[in-house]
Amino acid sequence: METQHAVRRPPRRTAALSRTATHRSDQKRFGNGELLLMSLIPFGFVILFQYVPMLGLVIVFQDFDIFQGFRESEWVGFPNFAEVFGDRRFWAVLRNTLVINIYKTIFFFPIPIVLAIVITEIKNRFVQRASQTILYLPHFVSWIVVAGLAFTILGSNGTLNQLRSALGLERVLYLTQPELFRGIIVLTAIWKESGWGSIIFIASIISIDPQLFEAATIDGASRLRRIISITIPSIAPTIVLLLLIRLGYILIWGTEQVLALYNPTVYETGDVIGTYVFRTGLGAQRYSYSATIGFFNSLVGMMMIVTANAITRRFMDRSIW
Amino acid sequence: MVTKRRTVVSDGLVSLTLGIILVIAIVAMLYPFVTVVAQAFSGTVANMRGEVRIVPRDFQVDTFVYVVGSSKYLRSLLISVVVTSVGTLIALTLTTLAAYPLSRRYFSARKGLTIAYVFTMLFHPGIVPMYLLMRGLGLLNSIWALIFPAALSVYNMLIVKSFFESTPVELEEAAKIDGASNMTVFSRIMLPLVVPTLATIGLFYAVGYWNNYINALFYITRSELEPLQIHLRNIIAEAQQPDQALEADLSRRHSIQGIRAATILASILPILVVYPYLQKYFVKGIQIGSVKG
């Protein structure tokens, strides 16, 4: 969802003007206390479910024992970090996370742009709406359903293998081959999210001044020329912005998808940070070790997002938040 | 003349290419659904022999009836319905209560609170601290563990906030001059104005709750509390057992493929029912999210 939250920042001057209009007398007149009271419930909720668990991160400096709790567990300093960074498994899952997300960026990212161009080039309103309805639908099914559909088609008894055996070919266990797993992740991501991802580009194309297209047509520009010389340059800022956001989220995205689709035979190529933390933490109950990985991931992830945002803000006068 | 003719040919070619891309995309999006529908309503033997393609063979509804009538399905359906409806109500309440104060320019804590909310979008404490919190609160193996972690999306809150901001200032000022309190302004003037937005956001929350399986995986171990997505996950895992799949036992009443397909179908039907309403609103919602803060 974060992708769509690309905010065009208001010019700084208006922001400054409205700030000077915020007088203390206004606060008195309009009742500040009531607003504070109103914020109490949702903010208390955020404190409890977001900030309190951040305090729980102290266990990265402990040898945490779930029966002794935070207070009684032994404080050990940094050996958890030493253990994590000295662990080959950690570097393997970090590498998988990066590789899978880079593949996704290369192969997934252009498709919503192409779909947006295709959809906006449709002149028939009915066809346009109907195509959008179909292309957005996969976004609304769960990753478990996507996994179910993947097994239905690619499973050992799936339609593709049925077709192969009908042709006298051997069955292929597509979903248990480490060398195919990343491809399947990219394909299922494309299937589920590329239609939905096109919305922001469609919005961007629709906002192009139609006079540009009219003028180009009068000057004899062909349809392809209009796409290349008007549409694509006009949406280029949006493309760069979303690309940066995507790169910012490279460590964070994709856990839910992999968790739904993977199995022990593809850990080698498919195990990502989120799934590894889940198994070592909640499964093997190595709380301090897995929390340390999670902490590292969140920290680096945050720095990447902040950097991406700073770049877009600096060079494009737009920001994610 | 020559250039003009070349232009026409080229345009036709471009249209053709665009058309082909569109057709490929639509077929690719629809094909898995079509296969699932075909398998769900095909006969057991046809499914096991792998003869089902895109239309049901030996049409029957027994498998579907069997799947949606099974006690496990009904129990997990109930859990999902409760989590989705209660969760959406709580989420909408929290979202609105958080968004309104932040949308008032004269609110003193506006900046600080906004930063505190947005920070949670950037830094996640991670799976283990969340698990320890849930455990500490005694919420493991309770449906609240499926509701609370997703009950306030800051992203959605910012959309609602921008709607409150877009309401005319004069409305509030006029009411205040007439002596209305903040609570009156909020409940009598502002709330009715954002109802359409809340309906959209509510649908998003509902779909999110319906499709979420990860919280159940983390916090639920008792099978009677498993939501529908986890039930579906178990069915998919069962259907994947290779020995069962390869040695087709033709005497079975229902094929593995049929059961799997029928369960997938039964879990996405509610989404398909609300989808037309979703579609009506979501593009608008997204576009506003993309233009305003």
Side-chain angles (χ1 to χ4, degrees), chain B residues 153-165:
Chain B
S153 146
V154 174
Y155 175 77
N156 286 344
M157 192 271 284
L158 292 175
I159 293 179
V160 177
K161 179 189 140 223
S162 79
F163 266 91
F164 278 129
E165 279 169 350

PDB file of all heavy atoms in Angstrom, chain B residues 153-165:
ATOM      1  N   SER B 153      -4.185   1.324  10.583  1.00  0.00           N
ATOM      2  CA  SER B 153      -3.226   1.507   9.501  1.00  0.00           C
ATOM      3  C   SER B 153      -2.966   2.995   9.366  1.00  0.00           C
ATOM      4  O   SER B 153      -3.887   3.771   9.096  1.00  0.00           O
ATOM      5  CB  SER B 153      -3.794   0.924   8.202  1.00  0.00           C
ATOM      6  OG  SER B 153      -3.365   1.690   7.103  1.00  0.00           O
ATOM      7  N   VAL B 154      -1.738   3.404   9.592  1.00  0.00           N
ATOM      8  CA  VAL B 154      -1.400   4.825   9.522  1.00  0.00           C
ATOM      9  C   VAL B 154      -1.644   5.355   8.110  1.00  0.00           C
ATOM     10  O   VAL B 154      -2.081   6.478   7.917  1.00  0.00           O
ATOM     11  CB  VAL B 154       0.054   5.059   9.974  1.00  0.00           C
ATOM     12  CG1 VAL B 154       0.465   6.506   9.777  1.00  0.00           C
ATOM     13  CG2 VAL B 154       0.219   4.674  11.441  1.00  0.00           C
ATOM     14  N   TYR B 155      -1.391   4.496   7.138  1.00  0.00           N
ATOM     15  CA  TYR B 155      -1.633   4.877   5.745  1.00  0.00           C
ATOM     16  C   TYR B 155      -3.106   5.273   5.541  1.00  0.00           C
ATOM     17  O   TYR B 155      -3.402   6.348   5.005  1.00  0.00           O
ATOM     18  CB  TYR B 155      -1.257   3.711   4.833  1.00  0.00           C
ATOM     19  CG  TYR B 155      -1.582   3.957   3.393  1.00  0.00           C
ATOM     20  CD1 TYR B 155      -0.778   4.781   2.619  1.00  0.00           C
ATOM     21  CD2 TYR B 155      -2.713   3.394   2.818  1.00  0.00           C
ATOM     22  CE1 TYR B 155      -1.083   5.029   1.302  1.00  0.00           C
ATOM     23  CE2 TYR B 155      -3.024   3.632   1.497  1.00  0.00           C
ATOM     24  CZ  TYR B 155      -2.208   4.449   0.739  1.00  0.00           C
ATOM     25  OH  TYR B 155      -2.525   4.703  -0.553  1.00  0.00           O
ATOM     26  N   ASN B 156      -4.021   4.406   5.994  1.00  0.00           N
ATOM     27  CA  ASN B 156      -5.448   4.712   5.878  1.00  0.00           C
ATOM     28  C   ASN B 156      -5.814   5.948   6.686  1.00  0.00           C
ATOM     29  O   ASN B 156      -6.640   6.758   6.271  1.00  0.00           O
ATOM     30  CB  ASN B 156      -6.282   3.524   6.376  1.00  0.00           C
ATOM     31  CG  ASN B 156      -6.266   2.376   5.392  1.00  0.00           C
ATOM     32  OD1 ASN B 156      -5.896   2.544   4.237  1.00  0.00           O
ATOM     33  ND2 ASN B 156      -6.649   1.204   5.855  1.00  0.00           N
ATOM     34  N   MET B 157      -5.195   6.071   7.868  1.00  0.00           N
ATOM     35  CA  MET B 157      -5.481   7.206   8.732  1.00  0.00           C
ATOM     36  C   MET B 157      -5.122   8.516   8.019  1.00  0.00           C
ATOM     37  O   MET B 157      -5.861   9.504   8.098  1.00  0.00           O
ATOM     38  CB  MET B 157      -4.678   7.037  10.026  1.00  0.00           C
ATOM     39  CG  MET B 157      -5.064   7.966  11.146  1.00  0.00           C
ATOM     40  SD  MET B 157      -4.146   9.489  11.095  1.00  0.00           S
ATOM     41  CE  MET B 157      -2.561   8.959  11.724  1.00  0.00           C
ATOM     42  N   LEU B 158      -3.992   8.512   7.293  1.00  0.00           N
ATOM     43  CA  LEU B 158      -3.574   9.732   6.593  1.00  0.00           C
ATOM     44  C   LEU B 158      -4.549  10.081   5.467  1.00  0.00           C
ATOM     45  O   LEU B 158      -4.784  11.256   5.188  1.00  0.00           O
ATOM     46  CB  LEU B 158      -2.154   9.578   6.043  1.00  0.00           C
ATOM     47  CG  LEU B 158      -1.057   9.489   7.117  1.00  0.00           C
ATOM     48  CD1 LEU B 158       0.300   9.205   6.482  1.00  0.00           C
ATOM     49  CD2 LEU B 158      -0.999  10.754   7.958  1.00  0.00           C
ATOM     50  N   ILE B 159      -5.137   9.053   4.833  1.00  0.00           N
ATOM     51  CA  ILE B 159      -6.147   9.327   3.798  1.00  0.00           C
ATOM     52  C   ILE B 159      -7.373   9.999   4.423  1.00  0.00           C
ATOM     53  O   ILE B 159      -7.871  11.017   3.922  1.00  0.00           O
ATOM     54  CB  ILE B 159      -6.563   8.027   3.079  1.00  0.00           C
ATOM     55  CG1 ILE B 159      -5.386   7.475   2.272  1.00  0.00           C
ATOM     56  CG2 ILE B 159      -7.758   8.272   2.161  1.00  0.00           C
ATOM     57  CD1 ILE B 159      -5.697   6.182   1.554  1.00  0.00           C
ATOM     58  N   VAL B 160      -7.847   9.435   5.532  1.00  0.00           N
ATOM     59  CA  VAL B 160      -9.020  10.027   6.197  1.00  0.00           C
ATOM     60  C   VAL B 160      -8.701  11.446   6.665  1.00  0.00           C
ATOM     61  O   VAL B 160      -9.504  12.361   6.534  1.00  0.00           O
ATOM     62  CB  VAL B 160      -9.486   9.144   7.379  1.00  0.00           C
ATOM     63  CG1 VAL B 160     -10.646   9.798   8.116  1.00  0.00           C
ATOM     64  CG2 VAL B 160      -9.896   7.767   6.882  1.00  0.00           C
ATOM     65  N   LYS B 161      -7.494  11.633   7.194  1.00  0.00           N
ATOM     66  CA  LYS B 161      -7.062  12.955   7.646  1.00  0.00           C
ATOM     67  C   LYS B 161      -7.142  13.964   6.494  1.00  0.00           C
ATOM     68  O   LYS B 161      -7.639  15.071   6.663  1.00  0.00           O
ATOM     69  CB  LYS B 161      -5.632  12.856   8.175  1.00  0.00           C
ATOM     70  CG  LYS B 161      -5.061  14.173   8.648  1.00  0.00           C
ATOM     71  CD  LYS B 161      -3.573  14.023   8.953  1.00  0.00           C
ATOM     72  CE  LYS B 161      -2.835  15.221   8.493  1.00  0.00           C
ATOM     73  NZ  LYS B 161      -1.609  15.109   7.827  1.00  0.00           N
ATOM     74  N   SER B 162      -6.680  13.553   5.306  1.00  0.00           N
ATOM     75  CA  SER B 162      -6.691  14.493   4.191  1.00  0.00           C
ATOM     76  C   SER B 162      -8.123  14.832   3.775  1.00  0.00           C
ATOM     77  O   SER B 162      -8.382  15.930   3.287  1.00  0.00           O
ATOM     78  CB  SER B 162      -5.880  13.950   3.018  1.00  0.00           C
ATOM     79  OG  SER B 162      -6.621  12.995   2.308  1.00  0.00           O
ATOM     80  N   PHE B 163      -9.054  13.897   4.014  1.00  0.00           N
ATOM     81  CA  PHE B 163     -10.461  14.205   3.723  1.00  0.00           C
ATOM     82  C   PHE B 163     -11.011  15.225   4.701  1.00  0.00           C
ATOM     83  O   PHE B 163     -11.704  16.159   4.318  1.00  0.00           O
ATOM     84  CB  PHE B 163     -11.313  12.941   3.761  1.00  0.00           C
ATOM     85  CG  PHE B 163     -11.466  12.327   2.414  1.00  0.00           C
ATOM     86  CD1 PHE B 163     -10.572  11.375   1.975  1.00  0.00           C
ATOM     87  CD2 PHE B 163     -12.490  12.723   1.574  1.00  0.00           C
ATOM     88  CE1 PHE B 163     -10.694  10.826   0.721  1.00  0.00           C
ATOM     89  CE2 PHE B 163     -12.618  12.170   0.314  1.00  0.00           C
ATOM     90  CZ  PHE B 163     -11.714  11.219  -0.107  1.00  0.00           C
ATOM     91  N   PHE B 164     -10.694  15.024   5.981  1.00  0.00           N
ATOM     92  CA  PHE B 164     -11.120  16.005   6.986  1.00  0.00           C
ATOM     93  C   PHE B 164     -10.540  17.380   6.647  1.00  0.00           C
ATOM     94  O   PHE B 164     -11.198  18.406   6.793  1.00  0.00           O
ATOM     95  CB  PHE B 164     -10.631  15.585   8.376  1.00  0.00           C
ATOM     96  CG  PHE B 164     -11.509  14.559   9.050  1.00  0.00           C
ATOM     97  CD1 PHE B 164     -10.967  13.393   9.576  1.00  0.00           C
ATOM     98  CD2 PHE B 164     -12.875  14.771   9.189  1.00  0.00           C
ATOM     99  CE1 PHE B 164     -11.764  12.458  10.212  1.00  0.00           C
ATOM    100  CE2 PHE B 164     -13.683  13.832   9.828  1.00  0.00           C
ATOM    101  CZ  PHE B 164     -13.119  12.678  10.341  1.00  0.00           C
ATOM    102  N   GLU B 165      -9.291  17.397   6.183  1.00  0.00           N
ATOM    103  CA  GLU B 165      -8.639  18.666   5.848  1.00  0.00           C
ATOM    104  C   GLU B 165      -9.314  19.355   4.672  1.00  0.00           C
ATOM    105  O   GLU B 165      -9.303  20.570   4.564  1.00  0.00           O
ATOM    106  CB  GLU B 165      -7.154  18.427   5.527  1.00  0.00           C
ATOM    107  CG  GLU B 165      -6.310  18.315   6.778  1.00  0.00           C
ATOM    108  CD  GLU B 165      -4.900  17.828   6.503  1.00  0.00           C
ATOM    109  OE1 GLU B 165      -4.623  17.398   5.361  1.00  0.00           O
ATOM    110  OE2 GLU B 165      -4.087  17.848   7.440  1.00  0.00           O
TER     111      GLU B 165
END
